[in-house]
Amino acid sequence: MSESIITEKLINNILEWATELKHTAREFARLSSHEQAHVWNDLTGDEGRRRTFGTDGKEYFTKGLFEPDDLVGKALKDLDDEIEKLPSDQKGALVKAMQMSKDYVSSNFRLKFLRAEKFDAHLAAERMALHFEEKLELFGEEKLVREIIQSDLDEDDMA
């Protein structure tokens, strides 16, 4: 086997692995913090104890993710501010989803996007807008504010 063929196969394997990793990361980001902690515990075999500092300045050891309420509240407000700043043509589907169902686009739902972007509100707003643009294009307005289930997919989607 020539060196170029080996290199090409290696590159293809790396790209395939990266694609799988991307899909896995997306699925992990969709989980609640409690579910993520369970997955982490299953993978590492530990309780996920972390040394953190509360807003009172005291040191705490916690299990799983530690997200102080004041941090989450500020991040959600920052996310709302960043959504407002997005250009209208970029956030049409997101605005439509928020108008259709405040329950679906809840704090817990928005928090998933913040976690995925390590609490960077600007990136989370862009990700959220893109999510709803893609969802609207793929599934239509009637499925914009509900979870997509297997029966929503056709055979080509599942191939």
Side-chain angles (χ1 to χ4, degrees):
M1 219 182 257
S2 74
E3 194 172 316
S4 65
I5 292 174
I6 293 171
T7 302
E8 184 177 299
K9 285 185 176 188
L10 180 61
I11 290 171
N12 287 336
N13 286 342
I14 290 171
L15 291 174
E16 187 177 317
W17 174 81
T19 301
E20 289 294 323
L21 182 60
K22 179 178 161 185
H23 292 299
T24 302
R26 282 186 181 160
E27 290 299 316
F28 187 77
R30 290 183 182 127
L31 299 175
S32 69
S33 61
H34 187 262
E35 291 169 320
Q36 288 179 359
H38 279 289
V39 169
W40 185 254
N41 186 36
D42 288 346
L43 290 172
T44 63
D46 71 17
E47 291 288 324
R49 291 176 61 82
R50 289 168 177 69
R51 178 178 168 213
T52 58
F53 294 90
T55 54
D56 58 4
K58 293 182 181 174
E59 180 178 28
Y60 295 94
F61 288 91
T62 61
K63 291 183 179 180
L65 297 174
F66 179 67
E67 297 172 342
D69 291 339
D70 57 342
L71 168 75
V72 170
K74 181 180 179 333
L76 288 168
K77 183 182 177 333
D78 291 348
L79 176 58
D80 290 340
D81 293 344
E82 290 297 327
I83 289 170
E84 283 295 318
K85 293 177 190 175
L86 290 174
S88 297
D89 63 329
Q90 189 178 346
K91 64 180 178 180
L94 171 56
V95 170
K96 182 180 283 297
M98 293 170 88
Q99 291 169 345
M100 289 173 69
S101 175
K102 295 241 185 247
D103 289 336
Y104 184 77
V105 190
S106 66
S107 295
N108 286 337
F109 181 84
R110 292 179 300 144
L111 194 53
K112 293 176 184 180
F113 291 89
L114 284 163
R115 288 182 183 128
E117 296 297 348
K118 297 184 174 73
F119 284 82
D120 182 317
H122 178 74
L123 293 177
E126 288 181 340
R127 179 185 287 259
M128 203 168 153
L130 181 60
H131 165 81
F132 281 108
E133 290 296 329
E134 292 292 324
K135 190 172 184 183
L136 180 62
E137 183 180 326
L138 292 170
F139 300 104
E141 190 173 317
E142 66 278 356
K143 296 176 185 163
L144 188 61
V145 291
R146 72 170 180 80
E147 296 296 320
I148 301 302
I149 56 177
Q150 187 172 0
S151 61
D152 293 326
L153 307 174
D154 58 31
E155 285 187 31
D156 290 339
D157 295 327
M158 294 187 280

